Amino acid sequence: MNVSASSEAGTGSGVVLSKDGYIVTNTHVVTLDGDSGNGAITVTTSDGKIYPGKLIGTDPTVDLAVIKIDATDLKPMTFADSSKLNVGDTAVAIGAPLGLSNTVTDGIVSTLNRSIQVTSSAPSKGGDSNQGGGGSTGPFDFWGNGSNGSSPSANSTVSLPVIQTDASINPGNSGGALLDSKGRLIGINVAIASAGSSSSSSGAQSGSIGVGFSIPSNLVKRVANEIKDNGSATHGLLGASVGDAAEDAKATQMGALIKSVSSGGAASSAGLQKGDVVTKIGAATVSDATDLTAQVRYFAGGTKTTITYLRGGQSRQVDVTLGTYKS
């Protein structure tokens, strides 16, 4: 997949959703890391055919986008249930790293329910305001298709729920498939961690160090179908300002510390209070503010789930009906 704007261009990968030409990729691929909202898209299929692509919709909140090509005989990807993955399962990445099409690499699922904070790839550079711990430079990178690199500011970052893998993924793998041993989709490759570089060159890029991240297939399936059907997707909203519990010197448990709750919001309605430490949402463990924000966004707006939290040293559970996040 090639995307070009007036002053720059980039490449990425994608996954076929339907026989009639719907394809899912990353928002940062089609927006050149947020630098362009109207780039020209061309898609080259694995058999070498080239098609012009039309952008159907983007979801910068979880860095997914859907495009459409005029085709009638594509073979759709089979989706696996990402909630049934285990650490150590085989993970196979397919894409076009460094422009090398039809490249396959393999590894394992390193960690489940990981969360990372990255620069928003929306052209408006709108971000996720409901998160703590934002504003620090992080090691997570979209591989620099545009100039919007990995030094997020507090108002231009998003928190992504991801699968971590050591399958080798590099620039150009963005938007491509992460598969299980049966060739079913378990994730869409989105970012890698960089070990950093002493180079002063603004164009310097790091290759794979075995720490890559993919959007889980269950989230991809929901969001891509919502974009395909409605032009956009929804995400959960807790209605609370949160920070990292571990920042308190007296902390005894990692989690997301609730600093305040919004009147009438989901957290308030569920009885959560300032000072509560959230340790789990649904099946996902929460170790900090980024975790909580990412896992809340994993759900669709209006979803009912269970939150586990500490209050006064005691662990409690409460059912919560999430609000809807306006991205």
Side-chain angles (χ1 to χ4, degrees):
M1 183 178 306
N2 289 275
V3 182
S4 59
S6 57
S7 60
E8 59 185 304
T11 63
S13 304
V15 169
V16 175
L17 287 173
S18 65
K19 187 177 179 180
D20 59 346
Y22 284 94
I23 295 170
V24 62
T25 184
N26 292 138
T27 291
H28 80 260
V29 170
V30 299
T31 65
L32 297 171
D33 292 355
D35 290 339
S36 173
N38 56 1
I41 302 169
T42 60
V43 174
T44 304
T45 55
S46 58
D47 59 2
K49 293 181 180 178
I50 302 173
Y51 300 85
K54 176 185 177 184
L55 181 61
I56 301 300
T58 63
D59 189 337
T61 302
V62 291
D63 199 41
L64 292 172
V66 173
I67 63 176
K68 175 76 165 62
I69 63 174
D70 187 13
T72 57
D73 58 352
L74 299 182
K75 185 176 181 180
M77 176 64 71
T78 300
F79 281 68
D81 182 351
S82 55
S83 70
K84 295 182 178 179
L85 288 172
N86 294 297
V87 172
D89 285 353
T90 294
V92 177
I94 296 180
L98 308 176
L100 302 171
S101 61
N102 301 324
T103 295
V104 180
T105 56
D106 78 327
I108 61 169
V109 172
S110 302
T111 304
L112 298 168
N113 299 321
R114 179 74 79 199
S115 303
I116 60 173
Q117 195 174 84
V118 295
T119 307
S120 172
S121 53
S124 62
K125 297 192 171 92
D128 188 344
S129 61
N130 184 31
Q131 54 194 355
S136 61
T137 299
F140 310 118
D141 200 352
F142 283 156
W143 306 306
N145 278 341
S147 62
N148 199 5
S150 58
S151 300
S153 60
N155 65 351
S156 64
T157 59
V158 292
S159 299
L160 304 179
V162 290
I163 297 164
Q164 183 178 323
T165 180
D166 68 347
S168 181
I169 51 181
N170 285 286
N173 273 121
S174 286
L178 190 69
L179 308 174
D180 64 11
S181 59
K182 296 181 180 179
R184 302 173 302 183
L185 189 79
I186 59 175
I188 292 290
N189 298 321
V190 65
I192 62 173
S194 170
S197 172
S198 59
S199 170
S200 61
S201 170
S202 62
Q205 295 178 347
S206 297
S208 173
I209 59 170
V211 185
F213 306 99
S214 301
I215 305 295
S217 58
N218 288 9
L219 179 58
V220 174
K221 189 172 187 179
R222 175 181 75 79
V223 169
N225 282 323
E226 287 185 30
I227 293 174
K228 178 174 171 285
D229 295 339
N230 307 316
S232 62
T234 68
H235 298 281
L237 178 67
L238 186 58
S241 173
V242 295
D244 297 343
E247 289 181 356
D248 185 341
K250 298 179 181 179
T252 59
Q253 175 67 48
M254 293 181 68
L257 173 67
I258 294 182
K259 295 183 174 180
S260 65
V261 295
S262 303
S263 177
S268 175
S269 298
L272 293 171
Q273 301 174 6
K274 177 181 178 180
D276 290 344
V277 175
V278 177
T279 57
K280 199 171 185 181
I281 178 167
T285 297
V286 172
S287 60
D288 56 24
T290 299
D291 271 350
L292 182 57
T293 302
Q295 299 304 331
V296 166
R297 300 290 184 260
Y298 179 95
F299 295 104
T303 299
K304 294 182 180 179
T305 188
T306 301
I307 283 180
T308 304
Y309 65 100
L310 292 176
R311 181 183 294 170
Q314 300 295 315
S315 180
R316 307 183 183 194
Q317 282 192 332
V318 65
D319 293 331
V320 60
T321 300
L322 298 172
T324 300
Y325 175 64
K326 307 293 185 187
S327 59

